Structure formats: C-alpha cells, structure tokens
C-alpha cells in the first residue's frame, strides 16, 4: 500500500524552506538581531530550526559512520562543529538568558 503524500505540503510543513536564508545568514556570522529582522517568524522558531539543522548534521554523521564512510563522517562532523561555533546555539539551560538579552 502506498501513501498519497503531497510533497510540497510535506516539505513546507516539516522542512520550513522559508527559513533557509535566515539560518544560512546566521551560520555565516550575522548577529541574532540581524537575523530576526529578516523574517516575521518568532525567535523561538528560528532557534528550533537551527537546532534541528544541527541535529540533522549529527544524524548524517552517525549514518556515514555506520556505513563506513569515514571521509563523509568527518565532513558532517566539521560542518556541525563550525555551525555550532558561529550560530552560538543556546543550551537548554541558557534559553531564559538568551531570550532576555537585548538584541542590539
């Protein structure tokens, strides 16, 4: 039995392609103040998308490791580390502090 899935609706509801530019700019060093000015999406949604991207990179790294692709594993690990450094993703314990900061 095959499910009838509308690919466009699925991508729009789960991937959030409209946040790609926002997350990309943040990963390239834009401040969070600059990032939130790029969209009318809530700040928490931006952070959740960034966290999901980091989790996805880590899952890809694990998958590459599982199939013995050491070079690919290193690339995903490097991408995840570089992204986490630049975007300064908050830890769950620092979220309250993160949201009370002034974005100037």
């Amino acid at each position: 039995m095959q499910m009838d899935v509308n690919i466009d609706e699925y991508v729009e509801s789960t991937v959030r392609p409209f946040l790609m530019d926002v997350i990309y700019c943040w990963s390239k060093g834009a401040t969070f103040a600059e990032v939130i000015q790029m969209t009318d999406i809530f700040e928490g949604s931006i952070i959740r998308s960034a966290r999901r991207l980091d989790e996805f990179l880590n899952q890809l790294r694990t998958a590459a490791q599982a199939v013995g692709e050491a070079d690919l594993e290193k690339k995903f690990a490097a991408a995840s580390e570089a992204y986490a450094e630049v975007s300064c993703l908050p830890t769950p314990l620092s979220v309250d502090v993160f949201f009370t900061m002034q974005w100037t």
Side-chain angles (χ1 to χ4, degrees):
M1 176 194 247
Q2 184 164 342
M3 291 177 47
D4 187 29
V5 176
N6 182 318
I7 294 172
D8 292 333
E9 286 179 13
Y10 176 78
V11 168
E12 189 68 32
S13 68
T14 59
V15 178
R16 296 185 174 208
F18 52 87
L19 283 177
M20 282 196 254
D21 289 338
V22 174
I23 299 299
Y24 178 77
C25 288
W26 195 14
S27 73
K28 290 298 185 181
T31 65
F32 195 70
E34 294 167 337
V35 167
I36 62 174
Q37 296 301 314
M38 295 175 65
T39 183
D40 59 352
I41 302 299
F42 292 116
E43 293 88 347
S45 295
I46 296 170
I47 293 170
R48 270 191 303 282
S49 293
R51 284 181 185 261
R52 287 182 70 191
L53 174 60
D54 189 48
E55 290 169 7
F56 183 59
L57 287 170
N58 285 317
Q59 289 172 354
L60 289 172
R61 185 191 74 210
T62 302
Q65 180 185 27
V67 297
E69 290 287 338
D71 290 337
L72 194 55
E73 176 190 356
K74 289 177 187 174
K75 288 179 183 180
F76 286 131
S80 179
E81 289 168 13
Y83 179 70
E85 276 181 25
V86 174
S87 64
C88 301
L89 290 174
T91 63
L93 297 176
S94 67
V95 169
D96 290 338
V97 173
F98 189 74
F99 279 111
T100 59
M101 295 172 64
Q102 290 190 355
W103 306 109
T104 58

